[in-house]
Amino acid sequence: MNDQRPVIILIFIFLVSLVLLVRLFSIQVLDDSFLKKAERNAIQRIVDHPYRGLVYDRNGELLVYNNPIFDLMVVPKELKIQDTLQFCKLFEISKEDLNVALTAARKYSSVKPSPLIKQISTTDFARIQNFLVDYPGLFILTRSVRSYPNSTAAHALGYIGEISAGQLEGDTTKYYTQGDYVGLSGLERYYENDLRGKKGVKYKMVNVRGVDKGPFKDGEYDTASVAGKNITSTLDMELQRYGEMLMQGKKGSVVAIEPKTGEILAMISAPFYDPNELTGADFGKNYLKLNRDPEKPLFNRPIMATYPPGSIFKIVQSLIGLQDGILVPETTFSCNRSLVACHNHPSPVNLFGAIRNSCNPYYHQAFRQIINREVVSNTFKDTEIGLNDWREKVMRFGLGSNLGVDITNEKSGQIPSGNYYNKIYGEGRWKYSTIYSLSIGQGEMLVTPLQMANLAAIFANKGYYYIPHLIKAVDGDPTLIPGKYQIKREVGVDARHFDLIQDAMAEAIYGTAARAAMTDITLAGKTGTAQNPHGEDHSVFIAFAPKEDPKIAIAVYVENAGWGGRAAASTASLMIEKYLKGEVTRQALQDYVMAGNFIY
């Protein structure tokens, strides 16, 4: 047995050696995974950022395009800087900014790339590119920023910016990484998923000095980026530019809609700003300046500002009264100014006359009949029941809740309910005399300019609307827009009741808005003067035209400009003429609006 031990030991050693040789052969010849791991140390993974989709107006005019910029990226673990002073001078960065950027990069990852210097211009890139080989761990990443050839429609188009830590944390798709750009407002934000495209990846070989040695495996593992989808907006840029010219130096809003589709033709928030200010390397500085401006140019008034609708709301009251049978065209009330103040006009008036002359006492009395129907004997409870029923009908006109426009931060406005007044006065402690100001669109009622433009579209369409929107097509296909913008929404009032309303609105132009009248276009409109406790009242006007076949509906708010028949009606009339005729023939009226002297 002892004589066999050497043989057994030799056999054991032979078998172990054979196993090791087989494993070594497998590793070195059959399996190249270890080779790949070794090669990966000399491979850079470069994300290929796609170009964002372009944005056009409804007539094919380019509104937003891309300009290339360059980010200097750093892999902290690989970076070697021998002379910091020379490095800072070459790349035009202060030592303090360099330290801050490197600290942030190391905090993110020592082996993954981070931006060191962002948004380098083409000129600066040409100056520094030959020196990159001297600094392992540095490479250039090409991106793009947005440019706006028209310098208009900033609030509608929106802007992009670097993704925040909070947004990055909330990105469940894991699409974004630190330093990526994302839509922050307007169409850029709402249609981010369409516009952003799809990232690609490239792998390239570099030597120990960071010199590019060509694609890894001849690009076998590379994937190409896919550009974002192009968007056609509903905006008419010629009308938008003209409206911004009229609103120059003023505060307020203009929203114009194509009634039959809900497509927004113009959306103006004044004061406005050049969207090119929020692009490129000066984004942070310019945003801070705009955000601190006391005139609040970043505030998107068409969807965020809320005002009392004023006398324009009388038309909604008329339609609810007609539909419920409380009012008929012959319903007549006297202009009793002991109830509420009014201007001079014939008295008594029927419904047509009440709209034409904007009679406040008429609607005070009509609204009381709409609210107090003696459903119960307790007048307090009867008022609450009537108010809640009325509110439900009003909200079908798109008031008191978000319409759903394709821009974020839309406000809902307010149509007060019984609970609203219960919280203020206590249950059973308020009645019609508490809320009568609602009859003429004042009091606790609030609407946005977008909602008022949508009202004008409802009056033009005789009882229906499509949610106002800014998207007309995606990659040229109109069927790709969100489905909610293709649904016809009825307000619950028979079309026959709108005949009287449209006729009265056309006559009202000659009563309270004579400046808006045109000889060759039949305009139907309604003035409003929204009370403002902080200064001069706001001038309000809505209209649609031509009356026989409406192609444009519009709402104009000019803050602190007084009576609606002046500033707002004149602005709306000029914009309607511009859209329907392609030119403006009333130079004197245009000069009047441009001068802005409405209070006299």
Side-chain angles (χ1 to χ4, degrees), residues 74-77 102 104-114 178:
V74 60
V75 180
K77 188 176 181 180
L102 286 175
R106 293 188 187 104
K107 184 177 179 181
Y108 171 66
S109 173
S110 62
V111 296
K112 293 181 179 180
S114 295
Q178 187 180 31

Side-chain angles (χ1 to χ4, degrees), residues 318-319 321-333 348-356 362-363 496-501 503-504:
S318 301
L319 288 166
L322 285 168
Q323 183 66 24
D324 287 357
I326 301 298
L327 301 178
V328 294
E330 296 76 27
T331 300
T332 301
F333 294 109
V349 290
N350 58 16
L351 183 56
F352 184 96
I355 296 172
R356 186 187 188 282
Y362 185 99
Y363 287 96
R496 60 189 174 88
H497 295 310
F498 286 87
D499 292 335
L500 180 146
I501 299 300
D503 290 344

